[in-house]
Amino acid sequence: MTSATIYQVWKRDEYFISMDPSLIPIPKINDAFSSEHIYWAKPLPEEVMRETLHNSLCFGLYKVEADTAPPSFVGIARLVTDKTTFAYLTDVYIDPKFQGHGLGTWLVSCVQEVIEAMPHLRRSILFTGDWKRSVPFYEKIMDMEVVETKVGEGVAFMERKGPGHPYFRRAV
């Protein structure tokens, strides 16, 4: 007998955040991934996106428009984690029509609540290219620090861009 998964939900006014990945409308997330608002990724085939969402801790943000209408997709944050020692925050997005109302702060605060519930966490990380807005935001909301190192000192953050990266094999 299989037990049903119970997903955490947060509510605020006419909005709610759910960790149920099946609620995330894949065509809408792919539309967002194809926009200029998400500079770090590109759309994925629907089945690949579905697998990506189900293999992550997802935080979907929705607005309830009416009692009978389905909720509107507002945003997402995705946590890639082993649920014990490591958490990587990625794909944080709020539809531009809903920005400026504290929803991004609330969304990331909910993510941080889940991260802080991991008693054996060694490290949570994220990557951003937005030094003006994102770096101060994550420093404030998640107590993140920019990791700067010199060769041979501290932690070395390394990467190899794969085919899913927007700049894979392109001169930047």
Side-chain angles (χ1 to χ4, degrees), residues 9-30:
V9 175
W10 296 260
K11 294 180 181 179
R12 184 176 107 180
D13 302 324
E14 68 269 29
Y15 298 95
F16 72 94
I17 295 170
S18 172
M19 291 182 67
D20 183 350
S22 69
L23 296 179
I24 297 169
I26 292 174
K28 290 196 183 216
I29 190 99
N30 267 330

Side-chain angles (χ1 to χ4, degrees), residues 8-12 15-19 57-61 77 79 89 102-118 137 141-142:
Q8 193 163 347
V9 175
W10 296 260
K11 294 180 181 179
R12 184 176 107 180
Y15 298 95
F16 72 94
I17 295 170
S18 172
M19 291 182 67
L57 292 183
C58 293
F59 298 76
L61 173 59
L79 202 59
L89 179 61
L103 296 172
T105 299
W106 180 45
L107 178 63
V108 171
S109 296
C110 292
V111 173
Q112 185 65 10
E113 181 182 316
V114 169
I115 290 171
E116 288 177 356
M118 298 177 186
F137 175 80
I141 303 302
M142 299 183 77

Side-chain angles (χ1 to χ4, degrees), residues 12-135:
R12 184 176 107 180
D13 302 324
E14 68 269 29
Y15 298 95
F16 72 94
I17 295 170
S18 172
M19 291 182 67
D20 183 350
S22 69
L23 296 179
I24 297 169
I26 292 174
K28 290 196 183 216
I29 190 99
N30 267 330
D31 286 347
F33 272 53
S34 66
S35 74
E36 71 276 359
H37 303 292
I38 295 184
Y39 60 86
W40 61 89
K42 57 186 181 181
L44 296 170
E46 190 166 316
E47 284 306 311
V48 174
M49 180 62 80
R50 184 173 289 107
E51 183 177 1
T52 298
L53 296 173
H54 283 274
N55 287 330
S56 305
L57 292 183
C58 293
F59 298 76
L61 173 59
Y62 309 90
K63 181 177 183 183
V64 178
E65 304 287 349
D67 289 338
T68 57
S72 300
F73 176 72
V74 174
I76 186 172
R78 195 166 63 84
L79 202 59
V80 181
T81 180
D82 63 7
K83 300 180 184 176
T84 308
T85 64
F86 176 79
Y88 164 48
L89 179 61
T90 188
D91 299 336
V92 177
Y93 169 78
I94 300 293
D95 184 318
K97 295 181 295 215
F98 294 93
Q99 292 179 6
H101 302 287
L103 296 172
T105 299
W106 180 45
L107 178 63
V108 171
S109 296
C110 292
V111 173
Q112 185 65 10
E113 181 182 316
V114 169
I115 290 171
E116 288 177 356
M118 298 177 186
H120 303 288
L121 184 74
R122 293 181 190 142
R123 175 174 286 122
S124 58
I125 65 169
L126 62 84
F127 299 99
T128 182
D130 183 351
W131 285 86
K132 187 176 178 182
R133 293 184 333 157
S134 294
V135 169

